[in-house]
């Protein structure tokens, strides 16, 4: 059976062929989006020489006492022509007169009779406390590079360059179709052999958490022709990913594989040597010039969510030219054994104590344990060849 690394490589190779569209959004809507172009500064930053302190502006010489002849506050420039023994009060960020080149801070001087005198032991230097025009960035230089994920710091840079509208990659659309006769809506109390649908909500939340767009296509019974109809509709709508849940095992009512091939979805793999989430199917649907990535996930909520984190999340990162979140090396707090050669992704809790990461795997490995899953914040990865992991061993963890 295909191992995890090979399966992930196949997914990432296909993802790297997906072209994303670009849209313009208002700067206030741009946070967490991916910048789609290099942004150049249309001005020097800062745009003029200015004071880094509240103080007195002067032209450097061996003078240590100046006559105060006026003041400049931020946004209220006056072009004083200072002789070497004259100074003006200046506030932080205010434009420096051309005749000054240095600023002494308020706390370093004494004032008497409109004269400013340096306190004893205060040393001055030419250019002190002055931010020079263009010292941060020169006009026409790149201030933020293409494919930068926009955060508040980036927004500050974009705003200073006058980018009211920002070109970003369009959000990826992930359509999610849920299958299973046993499923009833969240709003309904399940009776008999029914259960509430939960995995599509979890997957939708996972998509939202990555700042992409989820389109819930609803729940369909284990009825092959109806499933086929809905998948066919989904493929003809606008989406980048089609995710189905349920029906990918080998049970009598597991139709998804058949439906995928009947609809000309090219299946790249089915089943990966992992636990949970082994029955995952991955395929590609070619739609004119574009491709849709198709993931058939098992219905089990733990399996489908783990599949999302270990396959779909890296696929999204690849398409958006982002690094997938790095794994964290942590000390295992409980030993564990496994009796197969699958790669395991155990739910667990990762904490940082005094700068050291520690991971506690949860005891249940049942794929349907909601209460426990809701307490986990990581997946602890145990590679294929490891059968026993001891307390204190170093393990790789993926934050979820
Ligand atoms: P399947 O992959 O269709 O064989 O389903 C595997 C298990 O997951 C079964 O116990 C299902 O009842 C359960 N399951 C399937 N789909 C869902 C769903 N949408 N929400 C919650 N549980 C599900
Ligand atoms: Mg099913």
């Amino acid at each position: 059976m295909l191992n995890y690394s090979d399966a992930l490589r196949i997914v990432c190779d296909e993802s790297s062929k997906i072209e994303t569209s670009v849209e313009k959004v208002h700067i206030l809507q741009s946070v967490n989006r991916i910048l789609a172009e290099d942004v150049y500064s249309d001005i020097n930053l800062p745009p003029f020489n200015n004071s880094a302190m509240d103080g007195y502006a002067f032209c450097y010489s061996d003078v240590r006492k100046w006559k105060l002849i006026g003041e400049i506050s931020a946004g209220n420039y006056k072009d004083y022509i200072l002789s070497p023994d004259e100074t003006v009060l200046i506030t932080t960020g205010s434009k420096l007169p051309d005749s000054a080149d240095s600023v002494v801070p308020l706390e370093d001087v004494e004032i008497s009779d409109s004269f400013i005198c340096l306190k004893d032991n205060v040393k001055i230097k030419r250019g002190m406390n002055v931010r020079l025009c263009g010292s941060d960035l020169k006009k026409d230089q790149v201030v933020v590079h293409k494919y930068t994920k926009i955060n508040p710091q980036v927004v500050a840079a974009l705003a200073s360059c006058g980018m009211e509208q920002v070109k970003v990659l369009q959000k990826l659309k992930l359509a999610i179709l849920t299958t299973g006769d046993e499923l009833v809506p969240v709003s309904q109390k399940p009776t008999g052999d029914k259960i509430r649908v939960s995995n599509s909500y979890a997957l939708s939340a996972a998509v939202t958490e990555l700042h992409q767009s989820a389109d819930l296509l609803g729940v369909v019974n284990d009825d092959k022709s109806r499933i086929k109809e809905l998948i066919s509709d989904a493929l003809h709508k606008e989406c980048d990913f089609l995710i189905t849940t349920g029906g990918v095992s080998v049970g009598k009512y597991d139709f998804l594989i058949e439906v995928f091939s009947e609809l000309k979805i090219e299946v790249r793999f089915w089943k990966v040597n992992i636990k949970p989430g082994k029955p995952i199917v991955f395929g590609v649907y070619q739609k004119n010039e574009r491709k849709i990535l198709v993931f058939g996930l098992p219905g089990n909520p733990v399996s489908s969510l783990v599949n999302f984190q270990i396959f779909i999340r890296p696929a999204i990162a690849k398409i958006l030219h982002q690094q997938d979140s790095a794994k964290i090396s942590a000390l295992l707090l409980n030993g564990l054994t496994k009796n197969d050669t699958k790669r395991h992704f155990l739910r667990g809790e990762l904490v940082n104590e005094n700068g050291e990461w520690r991971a506690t795997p949860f005891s249940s490995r049942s794929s349907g344990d909601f209460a426990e899953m809701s307490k986990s914040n990581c997946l602890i990865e145990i590679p294929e060849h490891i059968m026993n992991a001891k307390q204190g061993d170093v393990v790789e963890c993926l934050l979820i």
Side-chain angles (χ1 to χ4, degrees), residues 179-182 222 246-247 253-254 299:
T179 71
D181 282 351
E182 71 275 44
D222 292 315
Y253 297 99
D254 291 335

Side-chain angles (χ1 to χ4, degrees), residues 313-341:
R313 185 165 122 182
I316 291 173
K318 191 85 191 170
I319 298 172
L320 299 178
H321 302 265
Q322 302 298 295
Q323 291 286 337
D324 192 19
S325 348
K327 291 191 178 136
I328 292 175
S329 300
L331 294 181
L332 198 62
L333 288 192
N334 296 335
L336 53 94
T337 53
K338 84 189 206 331
N339 51 14
D340 58 43
T341 54

Side-chain angles (χ1 to χ4, degrees), residues 178-183 219-224 226-227 255:
T178 310
T179 71
D181 282 351
E182 71 275 44
L183 304 173
V219 179
V220 54
N221 283 342
D222 292 315
D223 165 347
K224 187 176 162 189
R226 186 76 187 121
I227 292 174
F255 299 123

Side-chain angles (χ1 to χ4, degrees), residues 178-180 182-183 195-200 219 222 245-249 254 279 297-301 370:
T178 310
T179 71
E182 71 275 44
L183 304 173
I195 58 168
R196 282 196 178 109
V197 55
S198 64
N199 65 9
S200 46
V219 179
D222 292 315
T245 72
V248 286
S249 300
D254 291 335
L297 309 185
N300 185 296
F370 290 100

Side-chain angles (χ1 to χ4, degrees), residues 332 334-338 346 382 386-395:
L332 198 62
N334 296 335
L336 53 94
T337 53
K338 84 189 206 331
L346 307 173
I382 309 291
I386 304 280
M387 291 296 143
N388 295 296
K390 297 184 302 302
Q391 182 184 5
D393 281 356
V394 175
V395 286

Side-chain angles (χ1 to χ4, degrees), residues 226-361:
R226 186 76 187 121
I227 292 174
K228 188 169 171 181
E229 210 174 285
L230 288 174
I231 292 184
S232 172
D233 287 352
L235 293 172
H236 291 95
K237 283 209 311 195
E238 191 67 15
C239 68
D240 302 290
F241 287 65
L242 172 64
I243 301 172
T244 65
T245 72
V248 286
S249 300
V250 290
K252 184 172 172 198
Y253 297 99
D254 291 335
F255 299 123
L256 269 294
I257 283 280
E258 281 169 46
V259 169
F260 285 174
S261 54
E262 287 171 22
L263 288 174
K264 308 262 177 314
I265 293 167
E266 291 170 32
V267 172
R268 296 283 193 267
F269 62 75
W270 177 30
K271 293 183 183 161
V272 181
N273 193 29
I274 54 173
K275 190 174 178 180
K278 178 181 104 171
I280 182 173
V281 191
F282 171 63
V284 178
Y285 183 71
Q286 186 77 41
K287 182 179 165 188
N288 307 322
E289 294 301 289
R290 298 194 59 156
K291 285 176 193 284
I292 297 176
L293 301 184
V294 181
F295 288 88
L297 309 185
N300 185 296
V302 171
S303 310
S304 55
L305 206 49
V306 168
N307 278 163
F308 183 94
Q309 301 291 3
I310 67 174
F311 286 111
I312 299 177
R313 185 165 122 182
I316 291 173
K318 191 85 191 170
I319 298 172
L320 299 178
H321 302 265
Q322 302 298 295
Q323 291 286 337
D324 192 19
S325 348
K327 291 191 178 136
I328 292 175
S329 300
L331 294 181
L332 198 62
L333 288 192
N334 296 335
L336 53 94
T337 53
K338 84 189 206 331
N339 51 14
D340 58 43
T341 54
K342 294 188 176 107
R343 180 167 295 230
H344 286 213
F345 294 90
L346 307 173
R347 283 141 283 150
E349 190 186 17
L350 189 65
V351 289
N352 191 301
E353 276 168 27
N354 304 323
E356 198 165 67
W357 288 102
R358 293 155 196 265
T360 310

